[in-house]
Amino acid sequence: MSQTTDGLEKLKTKLLEIQHLRDAASLLSWDQETYMPTGGGQARADHIATLQTLAHDKFVSPDIEDVLLHHIDPMTGLANSKGTGLDEASQALLRETWRDFSRAKKLPSEFITRLERECSLAQQVWTEARQDNNFATFLPNLRTVVALKYEEVEYLGYTDSPYNTLLDTYEPGATVAQLQPLFTTIREGLVSLLEQIRQSPTPPNDRILYQTYDTDRQLEFGKLVLAKMGYDFSRGRLDLSAHPFTTSFHPTDVRVTTRVFEKDLQSCLFSCIHEGGHGLYEQGLPPGHHGTPLGEALSLGIHESQSRLWENSVGRSRAFWEYFFPLLKDQFPNQLSGINVDTFYAAINTVKPSLIRVEADEVTYNLHIMVRFEIELDVIEKRVGVEDLPDLWRTKMKEYLGVVPERDADGVLQDVHWSFGAFGYFPTYTLGNLYAAMLFNKAGEDLPTLQTDIAQGNLIPLKEWLNHHIHRHGRQFTSKELIQRATGQTLSAEPFLQSLRDKMQEVYGFPA
Ligand code: ZN
């Protein structure tokens, strides 16, 4: 074995050990959100902080740095003369490991512990503040978390905007300068679509979705859909949690959660499909690369593209319900008697500006994201203080969605993200929606029978298309390269806007 490949094998072994610590921390987090007794919160925060600090310390070790510097030019982050002798995958592995390493190395261990602990505490305070509709109790913690984010940016440095550094954590390569014009296009497109929808003389009615639906039967149906999507239950499971999420410890153990309400048919159904999309991505990552960047999901935007593609392009499509509506009717014959698939399809695509992001329809969803993006940009660029957020929230909701929350619990306190320091996360939801539309269009071109397959309940060709074009690559390519390779296009809002216009024209019956 040459010295180069020998060094690479050593690196992979070390990365795998670090991954095991992180996998253990993820399992503890999964348990925290599903089965942990409420009293265990403080101790659990300590467990997780210890594991994350250990993983961090092991990662920024001189051993790892030596192997990386042997192959990488630290100025460019790309392969040096020794590195270029390696195959493309190994070069990508080194490039991405260096990216993580050079970032992690700038953050002191003491800072990581402080950040993990404060964020965990802030999240617990947020939970109560939201329940009590009391922003004031959360304010001191939010202030601490924001101060820690400023500190993080100081360690990491930034170009153009401190926000870029935070955004880069979740969506490598994305910048404020790239997002702002893209978001303007989306906002203009959505606002004019919303206007057309408001003027529709024949809006659909979604009342049928809010009858009484037995929760066990809802869960059973969610499981059926997941299985048809190709989500492998021998390598996964479905549990309940307050907020649906997906977590993975390895491609052979990928877990999804949902929530179920007796008076709302949509929540469990669409969260199962959404998390199923995330789950398929994690189950489709190459197990042989577990522990290295090549075995990891590329970015949150790409991750969200998988969930939104399944949730919206598939799960809210007419073709999908061609097959699934009769099965749903078998489960709920009384509630759905006299309802046909067209009525049901229109009901699940009803558009209503509302206060809560996670319950938003496809049209207004991204307007919720824009409110958050603009506010957090103002915070991180220090134009507003955190005490101003409740009012700023109301102002922007009125401007973009025409609705104003009376309670902060339905306003600035509704999302968990800021409590655990996830500033720069929200834009990845919108990017995911844009990628999803591009990918679904291309899958339709590559698979001429896609629509008929879906209408027959055969979702496997689509899953395999995604396995091939997205999942198996891990972080080998950048988002830009991956999307280019999969679709032949660069990121654009147009496919997303066009697919929404088409659907809304059908559902609301306005002229094209
Ligand atoms: Zn998601």
Side-chain angles (χ1 to χ4, degrees), residues 220-231 269 272-273 320-321 324 459:
E220 204 177 308
F221 191 79
K223 273 188 191 160
L224 168 92
V225 175
L226 277 166
K228 290 295 279 184
M229 286 167 66
Y231 176 81
L269 172 62
C272 282
I273 303 177
F320 181 85
W321 290 102
F324 284 98
L459 307 177

Side-chain angles (χ1 to χ4, degrees), residues 164-235:
N164 284 340
T165 297
L166 302 176
L167 185 58
D168 193 66
T169 318
Y170 306 109
E171 196 63 23
T175 61
V176 174
Q178 173 208 24
L179 291 182
Q180 276 173 332
L182 199 60
F183 280 17
T184 302
T185 308
I186 300 169
R187 191 177 63 223
E188 287 168 358
L190 293 179
V191 167
S192 85
L193 185 57
L194 209 49
E195 202 40 52
Q196 277 186 291
I197 288 170
R198 279 200 187 104
Q199 289 168 11
S200 163
T202 53
N205 191 322
D206 62 355
R207 222 180 311 138
I208 51 161
L209 305 173
Y210 304 100
Q211 305 171 79
T212 302
Y213 290 93
D214 178 74
T215 53
D216 287 341
R217 285 180 171 230
Q218 286 195 51
L219 281 168
E220 204 177 308
F221 191 79
K223 273 188 191 160
L224 168 92
V225 175
L226 277 166
K228 290 295 279 184
M229 286 167 66
Y231 176 81
D232 180 354
F233 275 97
S234 75
R235 297 186 288 139

Side-chain angles (χ1 to χ4, degrees), residues 274-275 278 303-304 307-308 425 429:
H274 181 101
E275 299 309 327
H278 285 305
H303 227 309
E304 197 66 6
S307 55
R308 297 294 273 187
Y425 188 125
Y429 290 122

